[in-house]
């Protein structure tokens, strides 16, 4: 069983940046694919980016060139650097783990979610 704990959300103006972190806690180092999903108000959850143990990544089109996903394997931690934020990026962001390296894969573990608000 893995516990995922997100941190770093908050509010920012359009064009600004925020960084999210997610620490995975378990009995061993987390070698699984990790990533981020998000859910905007009134919308369904959608994938944002995923990353493998070997740092292979997949990004959804609407964040390519703006968001960067990285991970620290020794710390079982995944990060999401969000730049050039837009009001439509406003959502609850969820850390996920244990899934195939595909944006249409379903994660096995989910964090509680953290709110990111982008004002115009």
């Amino acid at each position: 069983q893995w516990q995922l704990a997100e941190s770093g959300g908050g509010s920012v103006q359009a064009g600004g940046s925020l960084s999210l972190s997610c620490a995975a806690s378990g009995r061993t180092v987390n070698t699984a694919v990790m990533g981020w999903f998000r859910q905007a108000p009134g919308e369904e959850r959608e994938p944002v980016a995923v990353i493998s143990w070997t740092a292979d990544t997949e990004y959804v089109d609407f964040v390519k060139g703006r968001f960067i996903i990285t991970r620290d394997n020794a710390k079982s931690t995944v990060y999401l650097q969000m730049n050039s934020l837009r009001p439509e990026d406003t959502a609850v962001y969820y850390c996920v783990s244990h899934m195939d390296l595909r944006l249409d894969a379903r994660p096995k573990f989910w964090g509680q979610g953290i709110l990111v608000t982008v004002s115009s």
Side-chain angles (χ1 to χ4, degrees):
Q1 195 74 9
W2 287 90
Q3 303 294 324
L4 305 176
E6 302 101 337
S7 60
S11 299
V12 67
Q13 289 193 324
S17 298
L18 277 177
S19 181
L20 304 181
S21 300
C22 171
S25 58
R27 290 182 292 176
T28 63
V29 171
N30 188 357
T31 61
V33 170
M34 298 182 71
W36 296 91
F37 276 53
R38 73 184 189 186
Q39 186 169 20
E43 302 291 333
E44 294 186 353
R45 286 185 190 183
E46 58 186 0
V48 176
V50 294
I51 185 168
S52 71
W53 171 261
T54 54
D56 294 316
T57 58
E58 291 287 341
Y59 293 91
V60 68
D61 285 347
F62 54 74
V63 305
K64 285 181 179 177
R66 300 190 299 125
F67 291 10
I68 301 171
I69 187 170
T70 57
R71 68 187 288 167
D72 184 330
N73 291 332
K75 297 180 179 178
S76 294
T77 298
V78 63
Y79 307 93
L80 187 68
Q81 177 64 40
M82 303 183 292
N83 303 316
S84 301
L85 282 161
R86 305 166 181 168
E88 54 265 39
D89 293 319
T90 295
V92 176
Y93 283 72
Y94 295 90
C95 178
V96 297
S97 184
H98 289 70
M99 58 188 289
D100 292 335
L101 189 67
R102 300 191 329 265
L103 294 173
D104 62 348
R106 178 161 179 82
K108 184 175 181 180
F109 300 108
W110 294 77
Q112 291 296 310
I114 192 164
L115 179 63
V116 170
T117 303
V118 184
S119 58
S120 56

